[in-house]
C-alpha cells in the first residue's frame, strides 16, 4: 500500500525592503474559497517557537498588506492553493496570520463610475485596472457609482446575479462558476468522509423586484401556491419589461427545483479540486447518490490531522 507524505510551503515574497522568505514548518493552515463569497480567505497558524523569528521582531517579518503564497501537496509535489495578502498582523502566541486574496486590494481603493450603455467587461476594466478580466459581454445599461470601493460595486453586481471572484490575478465575473477542467471521478466509499443526502424539493415562490430609473418598482411573482420557501431578488441598473422580469423569476424557480445533494463531501488532498470543478460521484452502497455535480465552495485544511478538502456541492451537471 502506497503512502503519501504531506508537504507544505508558505512563501512571503520580498516587499517594501523586506527580503523574501519561506516557512515549511507551520501548525495549521485553512483556506476557504467560494464563487459566491467575493473574497477567498486563509488563516495560517505558526508554532509557538520558531527559531528564525528570534533574529527579528515578528512585526518586521509579517506586515499588513505583505503578499503571501500557500503551496500544498504530497511528496514535494506542490500546488499553489492561495495567493493574496496579510490582512491582520499577528499578535501573541501562537502566531495566527489572517489573509485575503486579491480582493484585499479592491477593498482599499475608491472609484467613481458613470457610463451609459455599459457592458460588464467595461465596468470591471474601469474599477479594477491592471487585472485580466474574464467575463461575458453582458450589457448593464447605464451605471453610476460614486465614491465607492470596487468591492462594494462588485457586491452591487451580486444583487443582479453576477458573481465575481479572483483566480490569481484574473478577475472572473459570471452567474455561476463552471470550470473547463475535466470531471473528477469520486468513489464515495474511498473519500475521507461524506454526509450527503438527497435535497428536499420544496414548494417555492420567487418574488422579483426591479428598481427603474425613475424610482418606480416593478414586482412579479412566480411559483407554487402555499409555498413554504420564498426566494426574493431585487434588480437595479438595467431595464426589463414585466414579461422579461417574469422570465427571470421563472429561471430562478426552475433552478430551485433541480435535484441535488445537501451536506459535505470531504476528500483527501488528492485529487485536487476547486469551486467550479465537476465531480462524478459513484457509490457502491448508496447508488441514489450517483451523479455529476458542480462544486460551489471548498474549505482546505492542512495540519497534523491531515490534508482535507471539504466540498459544498452546487447544481447537478447536465
Amino acid at each position: 500500500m502506497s503512502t503519501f507524505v504531506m508537504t507544505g510551503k508558505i512563501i512571503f515574497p520580498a516587499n517594501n525592503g523586506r527580503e523574501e522568505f519561506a516557512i515549511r514548518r507551520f501548525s495549521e493552515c485553512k483556506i476557504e474559497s467560494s464563487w459566491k463569497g467575493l473574497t477567498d480567505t486563509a488563516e495560517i497558524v505558526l508554532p509557538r517557537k520558531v527559531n528564525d523569528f528570534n533574529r527579528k521582531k515578528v512585526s518586521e517579518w509579517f506586515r499588513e498588506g505583505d503578499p503571501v503564497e500557500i503551496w500544498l501537496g504530497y511528496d514535494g509535489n506542490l500546488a499553489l492553493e492561495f495567493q493574496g495578502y496579510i490582512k491582520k498582523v499577528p499578535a501573541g502566541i501562537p502566531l495566527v496570520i489572517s489573509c485575503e486574496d486579491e480582493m484585499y486590494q479592491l477593498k482599499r481603493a475608491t472609484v467613481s463610475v458613470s457610463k451609459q450603455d455599459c457592458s460588464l467587461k467595461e465596468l470591471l476594466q474601469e474599477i479594477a485596472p491592471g487585472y485580466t478580466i474574464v467575463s461575458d459581454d453582458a450589457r448593464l445599461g447605464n451605471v453610476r457609482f460614486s465614491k465607492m470601493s470596487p468591492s462594494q460595486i462588485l457586491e452591487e453586481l451580486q444583487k443582479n446575479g453576477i458573481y465575481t471572484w479572483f483566480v490569481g490575478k484574473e478577475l472572473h465575473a459570471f452567474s455561476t462558476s463552471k470550470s473547463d477542467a475535466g470531471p473528477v471521478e469520486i468513489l464515495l466509499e474511498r473519500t475521507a468522509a461524506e454526509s450527503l443526502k438527497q435535497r428536499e424539493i420544496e414548494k417555492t415562490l420567487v418574488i422579483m423586484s426591479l428598481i427603474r430609473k425613475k424610482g418606480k418598482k416593478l414586482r412579479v411573482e412566480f411559483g407554487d401556491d402555499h409555498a413554504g420557501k420564498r426566494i426574493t431578488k431585487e434588480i437595479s441598473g438595467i431595464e426589463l419589461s414585466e414579461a422579461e422580469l417574469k422570465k427571470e423569476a421563472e429561471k430562478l424557480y426552475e433552478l430551485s427545483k433541480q435535484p441535488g445533494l445537501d451536506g459535505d463531501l470531504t476528500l483527501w488532498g488528492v485529487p485536487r479540486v476547486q469551486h467550479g470543478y465537476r465531480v462524478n460521484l459513484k457509490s457502491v452502497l448508496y447508488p441514489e447518490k450517483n451523479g455529476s455535480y458542480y462544486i460551489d465552495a471548498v474549505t482546505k485544511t492542512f495540519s497534523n490531522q491531515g490534508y482535507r478538502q471539504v466540498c459544498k456541492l452546487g447544481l447537478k451537471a447536465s
Side-chain angles (χ1 to χ4, degrees):
M1 181 178 178
S2 60
T3 59
F4 296 92
V5 178
M6 292 169 48
T7 313
K9 179 170 67 172
I10 301 175
I11 298 175
F12 296 87
N15 189 51
N16 288 338
R18 180 190 45 71
E19 62 189 25
E20 176 176 305
F21 68 98
I23 296 173
R24 294 183 178 273
R25 293 189 298 115
F26 50 92
S27 300
E28 181 180 358
C29 77
K30 180 179 180 180
I31 302 167
E32 295 184 293
S33 176
S34 168
W35 63 273
K36 293 183 178 180
L38 194 68
T39 308
D40 286 0
T41 63
E43 186 176 88
I44 304 163
V45 181
L46 300 182
R48 293 177 177 271
K49 198 169 186 180
V50 179
N51 293 331
D52 290 342
F53 300 146
N54 294 337
R55 294 187 288 112
K56 291 185 180 180
K57 295 179 180 178
V58 168
S59 60
E60 295 178 12
W61 285 99
F62 308 107
R63 302 169 302 190
E64 183 177 338
D66 278 355
V68 57
E69 298 176 359
I70 301 176
W71 297 75
L72 304 175
Y74 292 102
D75 297 331
N77 298 316
L78 303 179
L80 179 59
E81 293 292 357
F82 180 85
Q83 185 175 15
Y85 304 88
I86 295 178
K87 175 189 175 184
K88 186 176 180 181
V89 178
I93 299 296
L95 301 178
V96 181
I97 304 172
S98 299
C99 309
E100 292 184 343
D101 71 355
E102 202 65 36
M103 201 63 69
Y104 173 91
Q105 301 290 9
L106 297 191
K107 293 179 180 180
R108 284 157 179 78
T110 302
V111 297
S112 295
V113 183
S114 180
K115 285 182 175 290
Q116 293 185 337
D117 191 25
C118 181
S119 73
L120 173 60
K121 186 165 288 188
E122 288 170 341
L123 175 62
L124 296 178
Q125 289 171 336
E126 181 79 14
I127 67 174
Y131 293 106
T132 300
I133 305 300
V134 181
S135 73
D136 55 31
D137 290 321
R139 307 305 300 182
L140 301 179
N142 300 338
V143 298
R144 182 179 177 83
F145 300 102
S146 178
K147 295 181 180 179
M148 297 174 64
S149 69
S151 65
Q152 289 175 319
I153 296 175
L154 297 181
E155 288 174 345
E156 289 298 312
L157 289 179
Q158 285 189 356
K159 296 177 182 178
N160 293 335
I162 300 172
Y163 292 86
T164 52
W165 62 91
F166 272 103
V167 179
K169 301 288 185 178
E170 293 181 350
L171 180 59
H172 292 234
F174 293 96
S175 60
T176 188
S177 175
K178 295 182 179 180
S179 171
D180 292 332
V184 179
E185 303 293 334
I186 300 294
L187 179 62
L188 291 179
E189 281 74 22
R190 291 184 179 176
T191 60
E194 59 97 354
S195 60
L196 301 173
K197 61 181 180 180
Q198 292 292 327
R199 182 178 301 149
E200 183 179 350
I201 305 298
E202 302 178 71
K203 286 188 175 183
T204 303
L205 178 66
V206 177
I207 303 170
M208 293 197 72
S209 301
L210 173 66
I211 307 298
R212 288 175 158 167
K213 292 179 182 178
K214 296 182 179 180
K216 294 182 179 180
K217 181 181 286 190
L218 176 63
R219 184 177 185 274
V220 300
E221 295 184 0
F222 187 91
D224 304 315
D225 295 330
H226 312 295
K229 177 182 177 181
R230 293 195 170 203
I231 300 174
T232 60
K233 184 176 179 180
E234 187 172 273
I235 299 176
S236 61
I238 59 175
E239 287 297 312
L240 297 174
S241 67
E242 184 173 354
E244 289 171 329
L245 187 62
K246 193 164 187 177
K247 185 173 291 186
E248 293 299 314
E250 186 175 354
K251 289 180 182 177
L252 280 182
Y253 174 82
E254 294 299 332
L255 281 175
S256 74
K257 294 293 185 176
Q258 286 196 4
L261 296 172
D262 285 328
D264 293 336
L265 172 65
T266 304
L267 308 176
W268 312 105
V270 289
R272 178 179 177 271
V273 297
Q274 297 282 24
H275 69 72
Y277 277 32
R278 182 159 47 99
V279 290
N280 290 341
L281 304 183
K282 292 185 179 180
S283 174
V284 176
L285 300 176
Y286 305 101
E288 66 273 13
K289 296 181 180 180
N290 293 354
S292 185
Y293 295 87
Y294 287 102
I295 296 176
D296 272 356
V298 183
T299 298
K300 303 194 179 194
T301 56
F302 190 96
S303 69
N304 58 9
Q305 301 298 313
Y307 186 7
R308 302 288 188 274
Q309 303 175 99
V310 181
C311 307
K312 291 287 185 184
L313 301 184
L315 296 176
K316 192 168 188 178
S318 56

